[in-house]
Amino acid sequence: MRGMLLRTKSSFTAILLLISLVVSPDFGPFLAAQTALPTPQELDQLLAPVALYPDSLLAQITTASTNPQEILDVDNWLQDNQGLTGTALTDAAQQQGFDPPFIALVNFPQVLEMMAQHVDDYAAIGQAFSADQEAVSASVQRLRSQAYAAGTLRSTPQQQVVVQQPAGQAVYVIQPASPQVVYVPQYDPVVVYVRPSTDTIIVASLISFGVGIGIGALLVDNRPWGWGGWGWNWGSRRVYYNHTVWGGWHNPYRPPRPWYRPRPIVWSNRPGYRGDWRYRPRNYRPPHPPYNRPGYNRPPYRPGNPPGYNRPGNRPSGNRPPSQPSRPVTPRPPGQPNRPSRPPQPARPEQPGQGQPTQPGQTRPARPNQPGSTRPAPQPKPGGPSRPQTQPRERQQLRPEPRQHEGQHEQRH
């Protein structure tokens, strides 16, 4: 009996310990580390929005994804340093102790904002990248092969696409067309990886480009974040930075206040579910175009304001805000309150036809904001003493003259 009680007590203690570990906030990263890595199809879903980016930029994105808290910290830091550009921005990011990919990515704030908005996706990318770079490399090449077969991935004035075959297998390399300017491609994963159903020439518009970003501040060879040191060795399927294979950072950035906890990813809510790129999820909207600057006065990301889709006020989306502020303002100009509000009143008397042609007073309305001055149009009621009292004597004499047809006209003569 005593042995049974001891076993029951030990089992109960183990259950309590397990519950306390799950509930504890420090258990979040440990729990995330125990989850299964994405399958090849799920990796394709995660990497589809960035697989067609230039190789160096893609290498920076995948390595930066290994620290999702730093994604949010750097994006918040950019909000407070919107006046910095070029070398000053890069130097300031380096002084903050950010990891090398983030020092390079601060010159691409639109990319960092996209990563912050979808931080759960990039946290999963970073976890898969840390565990198996080869699987991530294979996913990127698989997606590029589909886009090339669909006719959407081609060389343009903004980028150069080279197809190599080192071992009898096609390898797709994407580089900027200009060594000093990088264009970030914009495309919808729902259509860019699928061959068009018709033979019409519409694929050229499926990938567009924003404003080119000068990378002059990044063209250095003696810094680990220098643009020339980044790339992808597709033969060994490894990312390299500072001309060496990536295997972590020498002095990694440690977030001062870590609060991010990974959330589960619903795979059916994104394109490419179960390998079907024609699948369009319910309520799916194409990715928003990159922004030139993430500075639109959003509150900083924090536990009470986590990033995510469809957050009102967080994104200056080009869908509705440009049209909404312009329309409500035009009906009510602040400097002219009477002009737009009073003109409907002359139409109120429904029989103005008798007096308007004969009344000269209406050609010079001295006080348009007084309803009494616009009502004398109907003539059947002469002699109202209350209305003429508020008007000048000259107008009071001019107005009765047309109405005195018989009595007073005979008295004058």
Side-chain angles (χ1 to χ4, degrees):
M1 184 67 179
R2 185 177 180 181
M4 293 178 61
L5 290 175
L6 289 174
R7 285 194 298 271
T8 304
K9 184 177 180 180
S10 61
S11 301
F12 182 72
T13 304
I15 293 174
L16 287 179
L17 179 60
L18 180 61
I19 293 175
S20 63
L21 284 174
V22 173
V23 174
S24 173
D26 297 332
F27 186 67
F30 175 77
L31 183 64
Q34 301 303 312
T35 58
L37 294 175
T39 65
Q41 293 179 352
E42 292 170 349
L43 264 180
D44 291 353
Q45 289 181 271
L46 292 173
L47 291 165
V50 294
L52 305 185
Y53 281 21
D55 287 5
S56 298
L57 183 60
L58 181 59
Q60 295 163 5
I61 291 173
T62 50
T63 55
S65 299
T66 58
N67 193 340
Q69 180 64 64
E70 191 173 4
I71 295 175
L72 303 177
D73 291 349
V74 176
D75 192 60
N76 286 339
W77 180 82
L78 276 176
Q79 297 292 319
D80 300 330
N81 295 272
Q82 299 177 31
L84 298 178
T85 58
T87 304
L89 177 63
T90 304
D91 292 343
Q94 187 176 9
Q95 292 175 4
Q96 291 294 317
F98 295 141
D99 291 330
F102 291 97
I103 299 176
L105 285 174
V106 292
N107 293 272
F108 299 85
Q110 72 277 21
V111 175
L112 274 174
E113 177 63 19
M114 174 191 65
M115 296 174 67
Q117 280 290 318
H118 307 278
V119 65
D120 298 321
D121 291 359
Y122 290 92
I125 291 175
Q127 182 183 356
F129 183 80
S130 298
D132 191 353
Q133 290 189 44
E134 185 174 353
V136 175
S137 303
S139 175
V140 171
Q141 286 299 318
R142 190 162 50 244
L143 291 167
R144 290 183 176 183
S145 174
Q146 296 178 24
Y148 193 86
T152 54
L153 181 61
R154 291 292 187 272
S155 294
T156 65
Q158 295 82 14
Q159 68 179 13
Q160 183 181 10
V161 180
V162 178
V163 183
Q164 301 175 353
Q165 294 185 348
Q169 185 177 2
V171 174
Y172 302 89
V173 179
I174 303 177
Q175 299 291 348
S178 171
Q180 296 186 351
V181 181
V182 177
Y183 292 87
V184 180
Q186 306 171 16
Y187 56 88
D188 186 356
V190 170
V191 297
V192 77
Y193 297 110
V194 180
R195 187 184 299 273
S197 56
T198 62
D199 293 331
T200 55
I201 305 176
I202 59 173
V203 294
S205 62
L206 296 183
I207 298 181
S208 60
F209 299 87
V211 179
I213 298 176
I215 57 172
L218 301 176
L219 296 178
V220 294
D221 291 333
N222 57 347
R223 295 288 187 273
W225 40 262
W227 184 269
W230 286 95
W232 214 293
N233 189 333
W234 297 112
S236 62
R237 297 194 174 185
R238 294 289 188 274
V239 165
Y240 61 87
Y241 88 102
N242 199 19
H243 306 284
T244 59
V245 176
W246 182 87
W249 315 117
H250 176 67
N251 186 19
Y253 166 83
R254 300 186 183 278
R257 289 178 296 275
W259 57 268
Y260 169 71
R261 295 292 179 267
R263 293 164 287 192
I265 296 177
V266 182
W267 302 104
S268 59
N269 286 351
R270 65 197 63 215
Y273 181 55
R274 294 179 178 175
D276 181 13
W277 286 108
R278 296 184 184 273
Y279 167 74
R280 184 179 293 271
R282 185 178 181 182
N283 299 327
Y284 171 75
R285 294 187 305 172
H288 289 269
Y291 318 124
N292 291 334
R293 216 47 177 151
Y296 41 88
N297 300 325
R298 65 157 175 80
Y301 293 132
R302 59 184 65 173
N305 180 41
Y309 247 155
N310 302 328
R311 294 188 57 78
N314 267 11
R315 282 185 281 176
S317 168
N319 295 339
R320 293 180 186 172
S323 60
Q324 284 183 352
S326 59
R327 298 199 185 258
V329 175
T330 50
R332 283 186 258 175
Q336 301 177 4
N338 294 331
R339 186 167 58 87
S341 57
R342 297 302 180 195
Q345 289 188 1
R348 240 198 274 176
E350 298 181 358
Q351 39 185 350
Q354 300 175 1
Q356 281 183 356
T358 58
Q359 287 188 4
Q362 288 185 356
T363 59
R364 49 187 188 114
R367 298 184 183 181
N369 59 343
Q370 291 186 2
S373 62
T374 57
R375 267 183 211 171
Q379 295 180 5
K381 295 182 181 179
S386 59
R387 283 181 288 177
Q389 287 177 359
T390 61
Q391 299 176 355
R393 291 183 177 272
E394 296 178 2
R395 290 189 60 190
Q396 196 172 5
Q397 293 177 1
L398 290 173
R399 287 168 55 189
E401 288 182 3
R403 297 181 183 176
Q404 298 172 356
H405 296 290
E406 297 178 0
Q408 295 182 8
H409 183 70
E410 291 176 0
Q411 290 177 3
R412 289 184 180 182
H413 296 285

